[in-house]
Amino acid sequence: MGSSSLTTNTKTAAYHSGTSLGEMADIYRRELLESILPFWLKYSKDEKNGGYFTCLERNGEVFDTDKFMWLQGRNVWCFSFMYKEITENPEWLKMALHGADFMEKFGRDAEGNWYFSLTADGRPLVQPYNIFSDCFACMAFAALDKVQPSDRYKKNALDTFENIIRRRHNTKGLYTKSFPGTRNLKNFSLPMILCNLSLELEHIIGTERVNSFIPEVVHEVMDVFYQPELGLILENVQEDGSFSDSFEGRLLNPGHAIEAMWFVMDLGKRMNDHALISKACNIMLNTLEKGWDKEYGGIFYFLDVHGHPPQQLEWDQKLWWVHVEALVALAKGYAATGDERCEKWFRIVHDYTWKHFRDPEFGEWFGYLNRRGEVLLTLKGGKWKGCFHIPRALFQVWKTLEKI
Amino acid sequence: MGSSSLTTNTKTAAYHSGTSLGEMADIYRRELLESILPFWLKYSKDEKNGGYFTCLERNGEVFDTDKFMWLQGRNVWCFSFMYKEITENPEWLKMALHGADFMEKFGRDAEGNWYFSLTADGRPLVQPYNIFSDCFACMAFAALDKVQPSDRYKKNALDTFENIIRRRHNTKGLYTKSFPGTRNLKNFSLPMILCNLSLELEHIIGTERVNSFIPEVVHEVMDVFYQPELGLILENVQEDGSFSDSFEGRLLNPGHAIEAMWFVMDLGKRMNDHALISKACNIMLNTLEKGWDKEYGGIFYFLDVHGHPPQQLEWDQKLWWVHVEALVALAKGYAATGDERCEKWFRIVHDYTWKHFRDPEFGEWFGYLNRRGEVLLTLKGGKWKGCFHIPRALFQVWKTLEKI
């Protein structure tokens, strides 16, 4: 597991300027195993009611007890995944089961849709208006089923998957605010979700069904949402694929596009399609060039493709998930193509990310920085930040760099 | 109209340190008449389709053509109000009628609810999920009816008012995401709206009906939402008035509370209730002390009453409406009570606001600054900023200071 000769300084995550990318694998492994997973194990379990607290202050203190379904599901997924991929640590399995039990007991409405949030003791707070709750619940039970096979877990995952497929063209259902027919936009998350989910469920739904999703997602993302004249991916386009000159249509979400590109690189690897890998790597690098803040460093959260003011007031903030997903994409891009721009950018994003997001004092990482890279919110977890992007990214970078 | 002997510098809005508050009235008057109203007259009219563009870049250039009903209504209200209160400028009346025609033609669904937004040519984009669209439409037609009386305008205003009253306990209707019964919170906007609206409609619904709303709003705001042990107003409380230890329950919105306090001071004046005025003035000052950023100046957008991280990523930003509403509240507080803290704070907030928000180069004011007071978005108008808070506040401060 990584080079033991590497001199790392866990306090500052410093590495010698001559350190190769391959030698850096170890600091990712150690951060995952020594800081991130222990933090969540220690602070997020609700021993009284089951499930997880995710609103954790800098030092792990619980500051809000609501249970957000995205993060319940992601926590279950994470500990199941690490148990399967790293080592069969019984504490990790116990942690995953702890959340899964709570989700099974309280998480769904009568139609099997997953609520958006619950009280600490499991009473529904916010209706299932958000299909990502279902996506992460589905991922959770599929991953748990891999390490502790159970017909019930399979059924939870499969029922939820079919429900998502049924809702895919009208994800918000009753809660849709847009007037039908005037400006029908499609968002590029949807094909990504289905592909992502189907891969997670491959042991349940079979390789054939998984493979049936891939051409559609590759086409949608790489031909429809990707704009060759810009070299960039738009977050929303008209249903016919054309540009919409509106706040939504002009929106760039660099982190989302970059995350999608490592996903497409993985699909390219699965299909042995080098041209696809190379195209995804180039789009990822274009997005990074466009999204990088030349003045203060870090990747912007949102931009308007025409340079107009975005409607998101948080547009210039630097978010944890954007930066760690970029590290995964750069590591994978470098491993797959050897493109030196990936190495150059990996070092730049690594330095920025470890310096600004990591909290050497209390463990885990900050989630929200202002444009200057100063901590905007002291939380380690909240309504949207849980145990997911950082551990998944540390794992992916570790495993990718290790093989270089 | 203000003292002609006052030496002002419109480029920097400087005033002699010895300038009395009364003498400052004139710079508010001039900014309103020479910068703000001309900017909207010049840039926001859609001559082709009717209605107003509100997404205006720093120099007035239209960067998005969607029509947001809040801002259509507010623009109509503003030009009607100024026509009535300042001078019968025919251009102002024409401007108000220009938007009112568009609203009448395209603004409502079959049940008379006002859409949230329309395309430039009036096709519905976003459903009437937001009762404030109705509130501002109601205000618009009531104000227009005062300067150009019409049975149709009266009916538009009255029908909308009754519709709001009918929807008041379930404002989001079908679009409500919170699960019924688990955590029923009430927001303090609602009683304020009704009271505000009823005053705007006094010439239509009569003084008796207006007076029937006032005790309820005063009780709700000053007894239920106001927390004597904190000296502050909470944005949301449980239906029984108790504290909810949740993101919503812990939320402080200083600008909203401060705006409400000048409104209550006006009610106190109407009822000749000096104790109420004094209480409102004290709450306003407490809120300002609590909400003021001791490090960089300016008033925070959101705070958590327990000091936890708020869920709003924009919590530390400085917004135009918060600061101009504070100027109104301080001017009115000073005029009504003579409290020296009002004068001290008026000068502090005046200096911050004129220095950071005002754009001496292109006219009008910026809307969104980061914590340090630097421009975050260059826009002069957008999805939420239109021709409303600044002109209304400049007018209110001008008229209040003029009488000191």
Side-chain angles (χ1 to χ4, degrees):
Chain A
M1 287 193 191
S3 160
S4 61
S5 69
L6 176 70
T7 309
T8 57
N9 175 342
T10 52
K11 200 78 182 164
T12 59
Y15 56 94
H16 300 302
S17 56
T19 309
S20 72
L21 254 50
E23 287 170 322
M24 288 167 69
D26 199 54
I27 64 170
Y28 283 82
R29 180 187 65 80
R30 285 176 55 185
E31 189 70 5
L32 173 64
L33 300 179
E34 293 170 15
S35 171
I36 307 298
L37 297 179
F39 188 93
W40 292 94
L41 281 168
K42 186 164 177 192
Y43 298 116
S44 85
K45 237 176 181 174
D46 179 352
E47 297 288 1
K48 185 176 154 208
N49 300 292
Y52 316 108
F53 298 122
T54 63
C55 295
L56 306 177
E57 258 291 8
R58 185 180 174 189
N59 62 2
E61 199 190 319
V62 177
F63 70 89
D64 193 277
T65 61
D66 286 354
K67 307 258 168 85
F68 303 97
M69 205 52 63
W70 279 38
L71 303 187
Q72 302 294 309
R74 284 171 154 194
N75 212 328
V76 172
W77 176 88
C78 182
F79 281 96
S80 305
F81 177 86
M82 299 302 170
Y83 182 88
K84 177 164 185 295
E85 299 293 331
I86 303 175
T87 182
E88 294 191 352
N89 180 337
E91 214 190 345
W92 294 355
L93 180 58
K94 205 176 140 201
M95 180 73 167
L97 289 165
H98 183 81
D101 288 350
F102 181 84
M103 290 179 72
E104 282 192 306
K105 249 188 240 164
F106 303 114
R108 282 165 293 191
D109 72 7
E111 280 80 48
N113 301 305
W114 294 86
Y115 291 114
F116 180 76
S117 64
L118 309 173
T119 59
D121 59 357
R123 286 169 297 135
L125 267 175
V126 176
Q127 301 278 15
Y129 76 94
N130 183 306
I131 202 168
F132 291 96
S133 303
D134 304 83
C135 294
F136 298 121
C138 182
M139 273 173 73
F141 284 102
L144 185 57
D145 181 64
K146 283 182 198 162
V147 299
Q148 181 149 309
S150 141
D151 287 347
R152 222 177 58 238
Y153 297 155
K154 282 185 186 63
K155 186 170 154 48
N156 290 344
L158 190 58
D159 288 353
T160 304
F161 183 70
E162 302 297 1
N163 203 7
I164 292 165
I165 299 242
R166 201 168 52 241
R167 289 167 64 188
R168 67 192 280 197
H169 295 298
N170 182 19
T171 59
K172 291 187 184 171
L174 282 176
Y175 305 97
T176 308
K177 289 177 188 165
S178 58
F179 190 88
T182 308
R183 183 185 291 155
N184 290 339
L185 299 180
K186 54 181 182 181
N187 182 284
F188 114 102
S189 327
L190 201 62
M192 292 303 299
I193 296 167
L194 282 183
C195 187
N196 209 337
L197 273 179
S198 69
L199 284 164
E200 294 282 340
L201 268 70
E202 190 159 0
H203 68 291
I204 301 174
I205 63 174
T207 297
E208 204 178 325
R209 190 155 180 212
V210 172
N211 286 344
S212 75
F213 283 107
I214 295 177
E216 185 192 329
V217 72
V218 170
H219 167 68
E220 281 285 297
V221 174
M222 304 303 273
D223 299 327
V224 180
F225 286 91
Y226 174 61
Q227 313 293 310
E229 71 288 1
L230 298 168
L232 298 170
I233 285 174
L234 292 172
E235 189 69 10
N236 302 288
V237 296
Q238 307 264 19
E239 277 196 342
D240 66 1
S242 63
F243 178 68
S244 165
D245 193 1
S246 59
F247 282 108
E248 293 78 15
R250 294 190 301 271
L251 188 66
L252 296 176
N253 182 335
H256 199 194
I258 289 169
E259 182 183 5
M261 288 308 99
W262 74 252
F263 200 71
V264 171
M265 285 188 250
D266 276 3
L267 292 177
K269 215 169 156 186
R270 179 186 170 109
M271 299 185 293
N272 207 19
D273 183 341
H274 293 290
L276 181 64
I277 292 173
S278 167
K279 186 178 176 184
C281 185
N282 280 322
I283 296 174
M284 180 268 290
L285 289 164
N286 293 340
T287 309
L288 200 47
E289 293 271 5
K290 176 79 180 179
W292 188 255
D293 181 349
K294 275 85 185 167
E295 200 170 343
Y296 296 105
I299 304 162
F300 287 120
Y301 191 8
F302 295 109
L303 291 170
D304 179 292
V305 70
H306 290 169
H308 296 310
Q311 64 174 320
Q312 290 83 1
L313 298 184
E314 63 274 28
W315 72 275
D316 71 347
Q317 296 176 8
K318 311 293 163 64
L319 269 69
W320 83 103
W321 68 267
V322 172
H323 292 76
V324 300
E325 295 302 341
L327 287 168
V328 176
L330 289 161
K332 285 184 187 271
Y334 184 66
T337 69
D339 190 324
E340 283 177 7
R341 293 175 300 167
C342 291
E343 176 170 4
K344 187 197 84 180
W345 270 111
F346 183 88
R347 291 182 185 275
I348 293 169
V349 179
H350 171 96
D351 287 349
Y352 181 90
T353 304
W354 284 72
K355 180 176 171 198
H356 291 91
F357 286 101
R358 185 164 181 261
D359 181 5
E361 199 172 336
F362 291 98
E364 244 282 345
W365 293 15
F366 297 112
Y368 303 89
L369 312 178
N370 68 15
R371 180 165 178 187
R372 282 178 166 82
E374 298 158 344
V375 174
L376 176 77
L377 295 174
T378 50
L379 59 79
K380 293 292 170 53
K383 188 172 170 178
W384 305 102
K385 183 177 188 285
C387 183
F388 183 69
H389 283 286
I390 293 175
R392 186 180 73 172
L394 293 173
F395 175 85
Q396 290 285 345
V397 174
W398 158 29
K399 290 294 173 182
T400 305
L401 295 186
E402 197 180 50
K403 283 180 217 134
I404 285 175
Chain B
M1 286 191 192
S3 161
S4 62
S5 69
L6 176 68
T7 310
T8 56
N9 175 341
T10 53
K11 200 78 182 163
T12 57
Y15 56 93
H16 301 301
S17 57
T19 309
S20 73
L21 254 49
E23 287 170 323
M24 286 167 70
D26 198 53
I27 64 168
Y28 283 82
R29 181 188 64 81
R30 286 176 55 186
E31 188 71 6
L32 173 64
L33 299 178
E34 294 170 14
S35 171
I36 307 298
L37 296 179
F39 187 93
W40 291 93
L41 282 167
K42 187 165 176 192
Y43 298 115
S44 84
K45 237 177 181 173
D46 179 353
E47 297 290 0
K48 186 178 155 207
N49 300 292
Y52 315 109
F53 298 122
T54 62
C55 295
L56 305 177
E57 258 291 6
R58 184 180 175 189
N59 62 2
E61 198 190 319
V62 176
F63 71 90
D64 193 278
T65 61
D66 286 353
K67 307 259 169 82
F68 303 97
M69 205 52 64
W70 278 38
L71 303 186
Q72 302 293 309
R74 285 172 154 193
N75 212 328
V76 172
W77 177 87
C78 181
F79 282 95
S80 305
F81 177 86
M82 299 302 170
Y83 182 89
K84 178 166 186 295
E85 299 293 333
I86 302 175
T87 182
E88 294 191 352
N89 180 338
E91 214 190 343
W92 294 354
L93 180 57
K94 208 177 136 201
M95 180 74 167
L97 289 165
H98 183 80
D101 288 349
F102 181 83
M103 290 180 71
E104 282 192 306
K105 247 187 245 166
F106 303 114
R108 282 164 292 190
D109 73 8
E111 280 80 48
N113 301 305
W114 294 85
Y115 291 113
F116 180 76
S117 64
L118 309 173
T119 59
D121 59 356
R123 286 169 296 137
L125 268 175
V126 176
Q127 302 278 16
Y129 77 95
N130 183 305
I131 202 166
F132 291 96
S133 303
D134 303 83
C135 293
F136 298 121
C138 182
M139 272 174 74
F141 285 101
L144 184 57
D145 180 65
K146 284 181 197 163
V147 298
Q148 181 148 309
S150 143
D151 287 346
R152 222 178 57 238
Y153 297 155
K154 282 186 185 64
K155 185 170 155 49
N156 291 344
L158 190 58
D159 288 352
T160 303
F161 183 71
E162 302 297 1
N163 203 8
I164 293 165
I165 300 240
R166 200 168 52 241
R167 288 167 64 188
R168 68 194 279 197
H169 296 298
N170 181 20
T171 60
K172 292 189 185 169
L174 282 176
Y175 306 98
T176 308
K177 289 178 189 165
S178 57
F179 190 89
T182 309
R183 183 186 291 156
N184 291 338
L185 300 180
K186 55 181 181 181
N187 182 284
F188 114 101
S189 326
L190 202 62
M192 292 303 300
I193 295 167
L194 282 183
C195 187
N196 209 337
L197 273 179
S198 69
L199 284 163
E200 293 283 338
L201 267 70
E202 189 157 2
H203 68 292
I204 301 175
I205 62 174
T207 297
E208 203 177 324
R209 189 155 180 214
V210 172
N211 286 344
S212 76
F213 284 107
I214 294 175
E216 184 192 328
V217 73
V218 170
H219 167 68
E220 281 285 297
V221 174
M222 305 303 274
D223 300 326
V224 179
F225 286 91
Y226 175 61
Q227 312 294 310
E229 70 288 1
L230 299 169
L232 298 170
I233 284 173
L234 292 172
E235 189 70 10
N236 302 289
V237 296
Q238 307 264 21
E239 277 197 341
D240 65 2
S242 64
F243 177 68
S244 164
D245 192 1
S246 59
F247 282 108
E248 294 77 16
R250 293 189 302 270
L251 187 67
L252 296 176
N253 181 337
H256 199 194
I258 289 168
E259 182 184 6
M261 289 307 99
W262 75 250
F263 201 73
V264 172
M265 285 188 248
D266 276 3
L267 292 178
K269 215 168 156 189
R270 180 186 170 110
M271 299 185 294
N272 207 19
D273 183 342
H274 294 289
L276 181 63
I277 293 173
S278 166
K279 186 176 176 186
C281 186
N282 281 323
I283 296 174
M284 180 268 291
L285 289 164
N286 292 341
T287 309
L288 200 47
E289 294 270 6
K290 175 81 182 177
W292 188 257
D293 180 351
K294 275 85 184 167
E295 200 169 345
Y296 295 104
I299 304 162
F300 288 119
Y301 191 9
F302 294 109
L303 291 170
D304 179 293
V305 70
H306 289 169
H308 297 309
Q311 64 174 317
Q312 290 83 359
L313 298 184
E314 64 273 28
W315 72 274
D316 71 348
Q317 296 176 9
K318 311 293 163 65
L319 268 68
W320 84 105
W321 68 266
V322 172
H323 292 76
V324 300
E325 295 301 341
L327 288 168
V328 176
L330 289 161
K332 286 185 187 269
Y334 184 67
T337 69
D339 190 324
E340 283 176 9
R341 293 173 301 165
C342 291
E343 177 172 2
K344 186 198 85 179
W345 270 112
F346 183 87
R347 291 182 186 275
I348 293 170
V349 179
H350 171 95
D351 288 348
Y352 181 91
T353 304
W354 284 71
K355 180 175 170 199
H356 291 90
F357 286 101
R358 187 166 179 259
D359 181 4
E361 201 173 335
F362 292 97
E364 245 282 344
W365 293 15
F366 297 110
Y368 303 88
L369 313 178
N370 68 16
R371 180 166 179 185
R372 281 177 166 84
E374 297 157 343
V375 174
L376 176 77
L377 295 174
T378 51
L379 59 79
K380 293 292 169 53
K383 186 171 172 180
W384 305 102
K385 181 176 188 285
C387 183
F388 184 70
H389 283 287
I390 293 175
R392 186 180 74 172
L394 293 173
F395 175 87
Q396 290 285 347
V397 174
W398 158 29
K399 290 294 174 183
T400 305
L401 295 186
E402 197 180 52
K403 284 181 217 131
I404 286 174

